[in-house]
């Protein structure tokens, strides 16, 4: 499975960006999907997660009410709508997917980086004040 993240760029504080994460090479073999972000020299930080079914979501407190994670109808694309951006949102953003497992439910989501099996390349988000 390959994950392709896109949509990063430069935005002003208060502005919006929409990130996309497209799965290929076997998207039917993945379940929950999440977004993380990481600044140089810092640990990867959880941002948002969504279940395979798309009915359950979870957000970091720092983005709650501003970011929205969603899944496309074909289930192989996940979006992160980022509104009211702040300079502290500046980071490289990574999407991640968990491999399908008989132990998982289509309603599960995960917040730990170690819970995910596949990672996309980062897409850079820069928010100017």
């Amino acid at each position: 499975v390959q994950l392709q993240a896109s949509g990063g760029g430069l935005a002003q504080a208060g502005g919006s960006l929409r990130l996309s994460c497209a799965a290929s090479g076997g998207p039917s073999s993945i379940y929950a999907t999440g977004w993380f972000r990481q600044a140089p020299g810092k640990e990867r930080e959880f941002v948002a997660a969504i279940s395979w079914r798309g009915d359950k979501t979870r957000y970091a407190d720092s983005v709650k009410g501003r970011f929205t994670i969603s899944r496309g109808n074909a289930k192989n694309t996940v979006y992160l709508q980022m509104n009211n951006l702040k300079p502290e949102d500046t980071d490289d953003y990574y999407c991640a997917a968990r491999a399908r497992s008989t132990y998982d439910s289509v309603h599960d989501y995960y917040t730990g980086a170690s819970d995910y099996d596949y990672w996309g390349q980062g897409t850079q988000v820069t928010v100017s004040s």
Side-chain angles (χ1 to χ4, degrees), residues 5 19-21 34-36 46-48 69 78-80 93-95:
L19 305 184
S20 299
C21 177
W35 285 96
F36 292 75
F46 168 75
V47 176
I69 189 170
V78 170
Y79 306 96
L80 185 68
Y93 283 70
Y94 298 85
C95 64

Side-chain angles (χ1 to χ4, degrees), residues 19 21 32-37 45-51 56-71 78-82 93-97 109-113 116 119:
L19 305 184
C21 177
T33 304
W35 285 96
F36 292 75
R37 62 188 183 187
E45 175 190 21
F46 168 75
V47 176
I50 189 168
S51 63
K56 298 287 181 63
T57 58
R58 181 74 178 270
Y59 298 93
D61 288 342
S62 58
V63 306
K64 200 173 295 182
R66 300 188 297 121
F67 291 11
T68 302
I69 189 170
S70 61
R71 187 182 292 279
V78 170
Y79 306 96
L80 185 68
Q81 178 67 43
M82 306 186 296
Y93 283 70
Y94 298 85
C95 64
Y109 58 81
Y110 298 86
T111 62
Y116 290 91
W119 290 85

Side-chain angles (χ1 to χ4, degrees), residues 1-8 19-22 35-36 44 92-96 118-124:
V1 175
Q2 296 81 42
L3 302 179
Q4 180 70 40
S6 61
L19 305 184
S20 299
C21 177
W35 285 96
F36 292 75
R44 196 160 289 188
D92 289 330
Y93 283 70
Y94 298 85
C95 64
Y118 306 107
W119 290 85
Q121 87 294 352
T123 183
Q124 189 173 43

Side-chain angles (χ1 to χ4, degrees), residues 27-32 52 97-104 106 117-118:
S28 62
S29 62
I30 63 173
Y31 262 177
W52 182 87
R98 182 174 170 92
R100 178 173 288 213
S101 167
T102 56
Y103 300 102
D104 288 354
V106 295
D117 303 289
Y118 306 107

